[in-house]
Every structure is written in structure tokens, then in C-alpha cells.
Amino acid sequence: MKRNFGKSGIKTGPLGLGCWAIGGLFTLDGIPDGWGNVDDQESILAIQTAIEMGVTFFDTADAYGVGHSEEVLGRAIQGKRDQVVVATKFGYTNNEATKEVFGKYDVSPEYVRYACERSLQRLGTDYIDLYQIHVGKLNDDEISSVIVTLDDLVQEGKIRSYGWSTWDMSLAEQFAVQSSGAAIQHSLNVLHDDPHMVEICEQREMVSINNSPLAMGLLSGKFNANSILSEDDVRGSSHEWVRYFKNGKPIPEFLEQLEAVKEILTSSDRTTVQGALAWIWGRSAVTLPVPGFKTRKQVAELAGAVEKGALTASQMQEIDRILERSQITVM
Ligand SMILES: NC(=O)c1ccc[n+]([C@@H]2O[C@H](COP(=O)([O-])OP(=O)(O)OC[C@H]3O[C@@H](n4cnc5c(N)ncnc54)[C@H](OP(=O)(O)O)[C@@H]3O)[C@@H](O)[C@H]2O)c1
């Protein structure tokens, strides 16, 4: 179950970890954009547990915790740099220098170079394996310009390869055609399929990095209709893009959908979380889920999913049938 990042020579296993939650408590313009309090020492031990268990791909961003996530990841991988693949993102200017500005972005060559240097410092490394555009929508001129900048950074050895975090299929396709990018990051989980984006990645030989693979934790099965998320947790915020929670509560329709497919997800001795990852691996051989985490215990459960492998084609079809989705051929 190896994943190949284009011509960069980077190879990883089928599971990574997402480092947004370990960015900790932070707000932008008074609205929570983090996952509440975290214990940095526990985050570091959790990352080291992952590496020991063979999970070596870490996805972060300069925006997570306005740089704190990158710093914590950097501390965790000191002395282990050659064992890990570090992916980070740039483009939003809500970094530590400009934290009062929310939702603004900059992909000019000057800004990208500045952001890259700051990420390298925070990560305590002299190269980034995968440098991803964080801004999901750009115009044609911005796309052309940022590709030139990224190619230059590859030539200079600051980054090994690059990708785009976008939900927009036509932009992903355009990026794949125009660039030598190795990955598209997009949302994918059993409650939110995106077969066409996965297909683009398959056809263009790019890795499909899957964010929110646990539907922001809802797929752990630990929430019910009475659960209330804390106000300092992004899931308890009023952001429109928080898909699975509203007014600080899990959306009942998603809880019902999870209940309907839980028996299949938990087949072969899997926990619900492990079943959610198994569904993603059942979707395609290019998918690479990056579930978030805060503790060693969560990481051990996530990493334990790898040996249990993907759901079978018939289980995938049965889930589509239960959720009333059209059948999709599994490759
Ligand atoms: N635009 C973008 O580029 C973008 C957008 C979103 C996410 N991402 C990336 O994708 C990563 C993951 O997505 P996500 O953060 O939205 O959420 P997710 O992976 O769907 O859910 C992660 C959350 O689930 C809970 N969890 C994890 N393991 C668990 C376990 N074993 N048992 C019970 N609960 C568990 C934890 O939250 P609690 O313990 O607090 O409940 C954890 O923070 C992010 O860290 C980030 O790297 C990128």
C-alpha cells in the first residue's frame, strides 16, 4: 500500500497524520480556528509513537495555531528528519506576523519565499518534502505564477515537491496539467465521497491526500445527539465550512448515516475510526488520509488501522447502497 509522490522520489505508507488540532487554542477575529487546549508534550509523544508504528507522513500548515503546529512538529522530529515526510501549506497570511487578518491570502513570489523560510525555521529543517498551496481558489495568473515560484523552490532544494489543497475539481485538473505537482489535498470520508477528485488524482498519477477523514471526529462514534462541543473548539464555532457540526452539536443526519454503516465499518475487528480509514483505502490505491489527533492513544488506534487494510469492494458497494449513492467502480 505505498504512495508515490510523482517524480519526486517521495514514497510513504497509506496513512499520514494531520497536525491542525495540535496547533492548539487560537482565535482569529474572535472566532475559534483551532481545536481547543492541547498539551504540547503529549503531541510530541504522539508524533513519536506514530513514527515508531511506521506512520511517517505529517501534514501541517503555517496557519495552524499561527505557526504553533509547525513548531511542535519540528520539535517532535528533531533527530528523525530522515525518517519522516513533512508536508506543510502556505498562502493564508494569518501567520504570526499578521494574525489580525483573517481570510486574506498572498501567493506572490516574495510572499511565498518569505512563508517558506518561516516554515523551514519553525520546522527546524532545511527542506520541506511537500509544499502545498492552502488557498483553495486562485485565478489563472495566480496559478501560473505560483507554479513558477514552486518550481524554482524545487530547483533550489528548499522543497522536494508541491501540491494544492483545493476542493475545486476543474482547478485541480488545471493544476495537474500545468504543473509537476505531486498531490491534491481534498476532503474525503465515508459521509462525504468525492469520486471525481479521486479519479483526477488516479489519472494524473498524483496522491489524493484526504483531510477530515474522520468527519472532524464524528466518525469516531463518540458523539450523540446530546453532545455539546466547547466554544473554543472550531467544531463549536459558527464557521459555515464546519460541515459536520452546527451550533456546537453534531448534525443528526450524519450521526444517523454513521449508525447505518457502522456494522460494515467495524467488520474484521476494526474500531469505528479504523473502519473510516478502511473505507478511504477501499476507495482508491492513491488515497492518503491524514486524520487529526491530540494523544498517543488516538494515534495508536489510527496507526493500528493499517494492518487491517481496506474494506472489500462488496462492502464499499453496500455502503453506497445504504447511503443511497450511485455505485462507483473500485480500482
Ligand atoms: N484546507 C485544508 O487543507 C484542510 C482542511 C481541514 C483539514 N486539513 C488537514 O486534515 C487533517 C485532519 O482533518 P480534520 O482535522 O478536519 O479532522 P479529522 O481527521 O476528520 O478528525 C480529527 C479529530 O478526530 C478526533 N480523533 C482522532 N482520532 C481519534 C480516535 N482514535 N478516537 C476518537 N477520536 C479521535 C480528534 O478530535 P477530538 O479528540 O478533539 O475529538 C481529532 O482531532 C488536519 O489535521 C489537517 O492537517 C486540511
Side-chain angles (χ1 to χ4, degrees), residues 90-198:
F90 66 92
Y92 287 118
T93 54
N94 48 339
N95 58 31
E96 80 275 31
T98 54
K99 65 177 89 166
E100 75 283 1
V101 184
F102 181 57
K104 296 262 169 63
Y105 72 87
D106 190 343
V107 292
S108 65
E110 301 72 29
Y111 179 77
V112 177
R113 285 178 173 281
Y114 161 78
C116 184
E117 289 304 326
R118 294 294 294 119
S119 287
L120 287 168
Q121 281 167 19
R122 283 188 292 254
L123 288 161
T125 182
D126 53 7
Y127 67 94
I128 290 162
D129 294 285
L130 184 77
Y131 204 32
Q132 302 162 103
I133 308 165
H134 205 168
V135 187
K137 206 168 175 66
L138 296 174
N139 67 36
D140 287 352
D141 288 345
E142 290 167 336
I143 294 170
S144 301
S145 156
V146 77
I147 288 171
V148 171
T149 308
L150 289 167
D151 280 331
D152 286 348
L153 290 173
V154 172
Q155 286 302 317
E156 293 162 28
K158 302 267 185 198
I159 66 174
R160 289 177 74 196
S161 65
Y162 57 87
W164 192 354
S165 175
T166 181
W167 63 91
D168 187 311
M169 275 184 305
S170 59
L171 291 178
E173 178 82 42
Q174 181 179 346
F175 178 71
V177 171
Q178 246 181 283
S179 77
S180 54
I184 297 292
Q185 179 166 157
H186 62 101
S187 188
L188 187 77
N189 64 57
V190 63
L191 304 181
H192 172 68
D193 200 359
D194 195 351
H196 300 296
M197 193 67 113
V198 173

Side-chain angles (χ1 to χ4, degrees), residues 17-21 35 59-60 64 89 134 165 185 210-217 220 222-223 233 235 273 290-294 297-299 301-302:
L17 287 177
C19 299
W20 182 13
W35 293 64
D59 176 70
T60 181
Y64 298 162
K89 312 188 193 79
H134 205 168
S165 175
Q185 179 166 157
N210 315 123
N211 60 49
S212 302
L214 308 179
M216 299 184 92
S220 64
K222 66 187 171 190
F223 297 112
D233 185 318
R235 295 170 291 189
V273 156
V290 288
F293 64 95
K294 279 188 193 157
K297 190 163 176 263
Q298 289 181 341
V299 165
E301 185 178 351
L302 296 164

Side-chain angles (χ1 to χ4, degrees), residues 231-274:
E231 278 178 16
D232 61 12
D233 185 318
V234 68
R235 295 170 291 189
S237 78
S238 54
H239 286 303
E240 267 179 27
W241 44 262
V242 174
R243 189 191 293 258
Y244 309 99
F245 298 84
K246 199 166 176 62
N247 301 324
K249 297 177 108 180
I251 294 180
E253 187 193 344
F254 290 124
L255 291 173
E256 282 160 25
Q257 290 182 355
L258 170 60
E259 208 45 48
V261 298
K262 204 168 184 174
E263 195 178 323
I264 302 176
L265 296 183
T266 54
S267 62
S268 303
D269 214 18
R270 292 182 181 93
T271 65
T272 317
V273 156
Q274 292 174 337

Side-chain angles (χ1 to χ4, degrees), residues 193-208:
D193 200 359
D194 195 351
H196 300 296
M197 193 67 113
V198 173
E199 202 178 310
I200 290 170
C201 293
E202 286 169 347
Q203 287 171 352
R204 301 287 172 187
E205 296 182 2
M206 298 198 296
V207 178
S208 152

